[in-house]
Amino acid sequence: LQFLYFIVYKRMTVTTNNKWVPYEEVASSLRPAMRARWVLAYPLQISLGYGWTVGEVILAVLLLIVVVLAGVSWSASGSGSLANIPLIITFATAARNSPITFLLGIPFERRVSFHKMCAVLSYLGAALHGLIAFVSGEATESENSTYLSSGLAAFGCAVLLYLTSLPFIRRKAFDFFYFIHWPLFISYAVLLVIHGAGTVLIGVALWGVDVVIRTIYMAGCHPREGTIRHVPDTDIVEISIDGMKYSAGQYVFIAVKGAGIFQWHPISFSTAPCEGSVAKMLIRCGGDWGSELMKLAKNQVEGETHTILIDGPYGNHSVDVDSDRYKHFLFVAGGIGITPLRSTATAIIDQVKRGRDSGIIETHWSARDGVVTAVPMTAEHGLTIYSTAKEEYTEMGALTNGVAAVRIGRMDVKKVVKNFKKRVSSVSLKKAEVAVLFCGPGAMFEPLRMACKKYSCSEVSFSLHSETFEF
């Protein structure tokens, strides 16, 4: 099923310049299924606050019940079997290509949240299983010495996986986190099989199929040639690849020969398919990988190309922007987070030109520096820039060729949502649904989520899709 999802769905997407129809990038035979998927997925992705959605709460409650049942059973074998359930889901949600996430419309970040939540619950189940085994005396029986040693070693791997996955380690030492996660995960799975928890191989198999498809079929068999350019007066590099098939708002994992062929980084497209065959990505360079990439860009010879491995594209919005459900769009970005939003906004503007019924489209962007010169915007994006930069960058109106309104100071997202609601109310005769798409630092998200919740009412409702920088 996973292989068919990748081969059939991923390869049946099409690009059209004809009159717009809902879900136009999907083959016509699959469009009813896409609409049904959104009917199923939408309630599960309603935000409840504190980073939780309805779907996550339902899954957490179900898995917590499993953990509780493991304790009630009060037997080593029974508690161990039940503890395997969240563990299988933990391994399965590590896969980037998944029919489950496709059917439920779960974007990358939500999948990672499911992965982490299931991992924590699996740790609780394992700890409870171990406690029961020791209290009952089964763990200390001589014939169970192999189970004891493998179980303790497996739990040690689980603890190390948790500690090396803490947010501050991922942010400060991502390469360490990435390269230690694989051997620990494989060791954990092997020890679990030795321990007698062979059912975890179900989740491992789903993950393994995904890795084979991604590594061999996507990245290994289809290396790309692209150009790398330094955007003058910025710390941004632009990568251009011809012939890429992708959807607006998606991203890819890339590895660049000359900057670390084994270092994979998620990068969003800044262009939309309607703009031509050349896909572009903007990368703010920081850290060791970014420094190497900047060196390649600055030493670029005219006409020179570089080998780029591509894993993807991935990503889908958690609001149904591809249907005719939404006519009003509010884009809110922070820093380089404007790139996937520009891609989506450009695609929607193109759809409007081809017959899509539309209302108000606005983009609000908080930018601290010369990144504005690297991202081409037009008046159609309804752009307002909020400058929190040094004095030399306060003349952003000139930098954007006058296509943006410029305000000095931080963005007040509450005021942005409130004013947008007023404008939508003034042009709508019936209940209006607004798609709010956000990409930026995590600190900007919670005020925006609260504002969308506060100002949603019987006349205007806000549906929020979010992407943060904490990948």
Side-chain angles (χ1 to χ4, degrees), residues 32-44:
M34 288 291 292
R35 191 175 293 276
R37 184 197 76 166
W38 279 108
V39 171
L40 171 66
Y42 180 74
L44 299 178

Side-chain angles (χ1 to χ4, degrees), residues 7 27 54 78 146 192 201 213 255 312 383:
I7 295 297
V54 171
T146 301
L192 286 171
L201 292 177
I213 291 174
L383 179 63

Side-chain angles (χ1 to χ4, degrees), residues 250-312:
Q250 288 191 309
Y251 65 94
V252 290
F253 286 83
I254 67 169
V256 181
K257 186 177 181 180
I261 202 67
F262 295 108
Q263 295 194 47
W264 294 84
H265 294 263
I267 307 297
S268 298
F269 292 106
S270 61
T271 52
C274 61
E275 294 182 282
S277 62
V278 178
K280 295 184 179 181
M281 294 164 272
L282 297 173
I283 304 167
R284 167 159 276 166
C285 293
D288 295 338
W289 182 75
S291 298
E292 292 300 317
L293 193 63
M294 181 62 77
K295 288 180 183 178
L296 287 178
K298 288 185 175 180
N299 296 327
Q300 173 88 20
V301 177
E302 186 175 353
E304 181 185 10
T305 61
H306 297 266
T307 299
I308 301 172
L309 300 185
I310 300 291
D311 177 6

Side-chain angles (χ1 to χ4, degrees), residues 49-347:
Y50 305 101
W52 287 81
T53 64
V54 171
E56 288 168 347
V57 170
I58 292 173
L59 182 60
V61 170
L62 291 175
L63 293 178
L64 193 58
I65 291 173
V66 169
V67 173
V68 171
L69 289 175
V72 173
S73 71
W74 202 252
S75 71
S77 59
S79 61
S81 297
L82 289 171
N84 283 343
I85 296 175
L87 194 55
I88 291 171
I89 300 176
T90 301
F91 290 155
T93 50
R96 293 176 189 166
N97 292 290
S98 170
I100 300 172
T101 54
F102 163 67
L103 291 173
L104 295 181
I106 301 172
F108 176 78
E109 290 188 356
R110 295 259 66 88
R111 179 187 61 78
V112 172
S113 298
F114 274 80
H115 175 71
K116 292 188 289 187
M117 179 190 67
C118 292
V120 171
L121 288 173
S122 71
Y123 298 158
L124 292 176
L128 188 59
H129 166 62
L131 176 64
I132 292 173
F134 275 102
V135 171
S136 66
E138 293 182 55
T140 55
E141 295 175 0
S142 58
E143 63 268 22
N144 290 332
S145 59
T146 301
Y147 291 112
L148 175 61
S149 57
S150 59
L152 290 174
F155 192 75
C157 283
V159 172
L160 288 175
L161 278 167
Y162 175 78
L163 293 176
T164 55
S165 301
L166 292 172
F168 75 91
I169 291 180
R170 294 201 313 272
R171 285 195 295 266
K172 300 294 184 181
F174 181 83
D175 287 344
F176 169 76
F177 152 74
Y178 185 80
F179 288 111
I180 201 68
H181 212 66
W182 275 59
L184 282 175
F185 156 70
I186 294 172
S187 300
Y188 187 30
V190 170
L191 288 166
L192 286 171
V193 172
I194 295 173
H195 187 66
T199 53
V200 300
L201 292 177
I202 298 172
V204 174
L206 286 172
W207 172 81
V209 169
D210 175 65
V211 170
V212 170
I213 291 174
R214 290 191 288 109
T215 304
I216 298 178
Y217 183 77
M218 296 177 66
C221 297
H222 297 280
R224 303 276 183 168
E225 292 295 318
T227 60
I228 302 176
R229 179 180 73 91
H230 172 227
V231 179
D233 302 320
T234 71
D235 59 350
I236 293 174
V237 165
E238 179 188 83
I239 292 181
S240 301
I241 302 175
D242 195 5
M244 277 291 300
K245 291 183 178 181
Y246 66 101
S247 297
Q250 288 191 309
Y251 65 94
V252 290
F253 286 83
I254 67 169
V256 181
K257 186 177 181 180
I261 202 67
F262 295 108
Q263 295 194 47
W264 294 84
H265 294 263
I267 307 297
S268 298
F269 292 106
S270 61
T271 52
C274 61
E275 294 182 282
S277 62
V278 178
K280 295 184 179 181
M281 294 164 272
L282 297 173
I283 304 167
R284 167 159 276 166
C285 293
D288 295 338
W289 182 75
S291 298
E292 292 300 317
L293 193 63
M294 181 62 77
K295 288 180 183 178
L296 287 178
K298 288 185 175 180
N299 296 327
Q300 173 88 20
V301 177
E302 186 175 353
E304 181 185 10
T305 61
H306 297 266
T307 299
I308 301 172
L309 300 185
I310 300 291
D311 177 6
Y314 296 108
N316 51 278
H317 302 100
S318 56
V319 293
D320 191 10
V321 299
D322 295 319
S323 74
D324 52 5
R325 176 172 183 168
Y326 299 99
K327 296 179 175 60
H328 307 283
F329 295 88
L330 175 61
F331 299 92
V332 180
I336 200 66
I338 189 65
T339 52
L341 299 191
R342 182 207 174 273
S343 176
T344 302
T346 301

